[in-house]
Amino acid sequence: MVIKPKIRGFICTNAHPVGCEASVQEQIEFVKKKGPIDGPKNVLVIGCSTGYGLASRITAAFGSGAKTLGVCFEKEPSEKKTATAGWYNTAAFHKAAKANDLYSKTINGDAFSHECKQQVIDLIKSDLGSVDLVIYSLASPRRVDPDDGTVYNSSLKPIGNTYTTKTFDTSKKLVHDVTLEPANQDDIDNTIKVMGGEDWELWMKALNEAGVLAENCRTTAYTYIGKELTWPIYGHATIGKAKEDLDRAASALNHSYSDLNLKAYVSSLKAVVTQASSAIPVMPLYISLMYQVMKDEGCHEGVIEQIYGLFNDLLLADNPPVDEAKRLRMDTVETNDEIQSKIKQKWELVTTENFDELGDYAGYHLDFLRLFGFGIDNVDYDADVDPMVGWS
Ligand code: NAD
């Protein structure tokens, strides 16, 4: 099959197995080049197949030599249709781990379900004994309650008032105003159900009850805090309320498992192009302008740079610096006043006509294509490739 990108709105509906493997390999090379991290040995990554979770898995395995157990929710390939990118990324990760004598197993299933948690626990018991780091990196639009089957959908809505802002339509290539209707209480509650801390707590409870959390275990969930430009649609919006709930959950986890000396953190990461962020209104425009500013200033970072820095400087340290809500902050270069004021200046001026000049949409779009294994150097996109790639 010759595989070319099929883009529909903010999503690409196919993926390239060779390109995904090359992009996973690039992240592995980055970590190997940076050097070893004295870190965890048995790591569970929930949401391991793309974005920040994949970078976490790669950093744990290739930075600290950790055995990794991953959980993701990806579609396998058929003879006619490619798998999702996360499927191919996972296959590539397994291949590279095997070549480096590193244990890796992945469960492809619904992380919110009791069954998935039990499968993970059984594997930890049989293969690892316990885990000393749990990364919670799920980004999902919906959650099925594991007890009563209720389906909760998250939403990306402002809170309080209707909000009008600039956005960039990636299909029509237009900068235009968009008006977003405010959330009602159900929207807020449902988003907290999906993206808040409840499921993170359920995971830690199940792992603890099964006796598979190692003493001094660390766990982190990821957040985005941002600044004024993104607060109305992120930090102070429905998703921000869910992220606030992570802060509550981290504090509860630290309290509940103090006998294990468990340390639970929310880690705030910078905005990057991932499947999750490209679905958020305003983000493609904000990220394009921010990329341009940060590249001009020589401080641009992607997922692997952020996660390597998090592991090396903060997450595994004995007493890492934390902010007022006890979060670890990897986003301070993006959110500092100087960078933000440069982004704001561009934001005020940006139109469809000057967007390419003021922003780095080319960089944004390339990162977007790369999520699906396209746009990667030295990959022959005219070649016939077998989509039926898997892992054991
Ligand atoms: P992503 O879309 O790249 O990854 C999501 C992961 O979750 C994938 O591995 C997917 O398979 C998995 N997943 C989704 N639903 C699942 C389910 N039901 N069961 C099992 N696995 C499931 O997202 P991302 O951008 O890397 O986001 C990860 C975390 O990082 C999120 O909490 C997000 O809010 C946070 N974050 C993202 C950004 C950003 O700019 N992308 C910035 C800061 C923080």
Side-chain angles (χ1 to χ4, degrees):
M1 184 190 279
V2 174
I3 307 168
K4 305 277 178 181
K6 283 188 201 156
I7 297 171
R8 307 264 179 281
F10 56 76
I11 194 75
C12 179
T13 60
N14 62 351
H16 199 285
V18 179
C20 287
E21 181 174 353
S23 114
V24 167
Q25 202 54 46
E26 274 179 19
Q27 291 197 40
I28 292 172
E29 290 312 320
F30 173 89
V31 170
K32 283 184 168 174
K33 229 189 207 155
K34 289 291 269 185
I37 299 172
D38 183 16
K41 293 299 161 227
N42 296 323
V43 179
L44 169 62
V45 184
I46 304 158
C48 67
S49 55
T50 54
Y52 276 126
L54 173 64
S56 304
R57 187 176 201 179
I58 290 173
T59 303
F62 292 91
S64 302
K67 296 177 179 176
T68 61
L69 185 50
V71 178
C72 61
F73 207 28
E74 301 294 344
K75 279 212 181 85
E76 60 187 290
S78 67
E79 293 292 349
K80 289 201 176 125
K81 206 167 181 310
T82 74
T84 49
W87 176 278
Y88 290 138
N89 290 340
T90 304
F93 177 86
H94 277 259
K95 189 173 161 188
K98 202 170 180 188
N100 285 270
D101 282 331
L102 289 166
Y103 170 100
S104 67
K105 282 196 183 164
T106 303
I107 290 171
N108 190 38
D110 181 7
F112 297 123
S113 69
H114 290 312
E115 295 73 24
C116 182
K117 291 180 175 75
Q118 192 54 51
Q119 271 180 291
V120 166
I121 286 165
D122 293 345
L123 264 183
I124 297 174
K125 280 187 174 165
S126 65
D127 295 3
L128 307 174
S130 61
V131 286
D132 50 1
L133 176 63
V134 179
I135 301 289
Y136 190 83
S137 187
L138 287 189
S140 174
R142 65 200 282 276
R143 172 177 172 214
V144 179
D145 185 285
D147 291 324
D148 61 17
T150 309
V151 179
Y152 295 96
N153 290 297
S154 66
S155 56
L156 295 159
K157 293 186 182 174
I159 293 177
N161 298 316
T162 300
Y163 177 63
T164 300
T165 182
K166 282 183 180 176
T167 193
F168 179 67
D169 183 325
T170 52
S171 311
K172 296 185 185 142
K173 309 274 179 289
L174 290 176
V175 176
H176 63 94
D177 278 353
V178 62
T179 297
L180 303 162
E181 292 303 317
N184 59 33
Q185 195 56 45
D186 277 352
D187 294 327
I188 298 171
D189 295 344
N190 293 347
T191 307
I192 293 172
K193 267 278 181 193
V194 180
M195 288 296 285
E198 188 177 275
D199 183 59
W200 183 23
E201 288 180 285
L202 288 176
W203 268 101
M204 299 310 289
K205 182 165 182 271
L207 295 167
N208 181 58
E209 282 174 1
V212 297
L213 286 180
E215 215 164 304
N216 302 316
C217 177
R218 310 249 157 142
T219 182
T220 187
Y222 295 144
T223 192
Y224 179 68
I225 295 173
K227 265 294 179 56
E228 284 87 350
L229 283 172
T230 52
W231 279 345
I233 184 59
Y234 201 105
H236 296 171
T238 46
I239 182 73
K241 287 287 163 207
K243 295 299 187 183
E244 272 173 28
D245 190 58
L246 291 179
D247 297 335
R248 177 205 56 75
S251 165
L253 290 172
N254 281 316
H255 180 74
S256 300
Y257 307 115
S258 56
D259 54 329
L260 283 174
N261 196 27
L262 174 123
K263 291 214 169 66
Y265 297 104
V266 172
S267 302
S268 182
L269 303 168
K270 87 180 268 273
V272 288
V273 185
T274 65
Q275 294 186 44
S277 66
S278 47
I280 303 175
V282 177
M283 274 303 182
L285 179 61
Y286 172 78
I287 293 178
S288 300
L289 299 178
M290 181 261 286
Y291 268 23
Q292 188 63 57
V293 170
M294 293 185 81
K295 285 180 183 176
D296 286 348
E297 298 294 317
C299 57
H300 173 73
E301 285 189 335
V303 282
I304 196 67
E305 290 88 350
Q306 280 275 294
I307 295 296
Y308 185 91
L310 177 73
F311 275 53
N312 200 38
D313 303 337
L314 299 176
L315 181 59
L316 308 170
D318 282 340
N319 284 303
V322 289
D323 70 6
E324 71 292 346
K326 299 201 167 67
R327 293 173 296 221
L328 302 176
R329 300 295 296 261
M330 281 302 295
D331 57 344
T332 50
V333 179
E334 173 194 345
T335 55
N336 77 49
D337 290 344
E338 199 186 323
I339 294 287
Q340 285 294 312
S341 91
K342 289 188 169 148
I343 303 171
K344 265 189 213 152
Q345 281 169 22
K346 288 178 181 285
W347 186 276
E348 301 300 331
L349 297 173
V350 71
T351 60
T352 302
E353 290 68 36
N354 63 19
F355 184 39
D356 279 337
E357 194 189 314
L358 292 181
D360 180 30
Y361 181 65
Y364 177 95
H365 186 61
L366 184 60
D367 273 9
F368 176 79
L369 286 175
R370 289 169 60 90
L371 296 177
F372 305 93
F374 299 106
I376 297 190
D377 287 347
N378 303 322
V379 174
D380 179 359
Y381 290 105
D382 294 318
D384 197 8
V385 293
D386 182 4
M388 299 302 287
V389 175
W391 72 83
S392 56

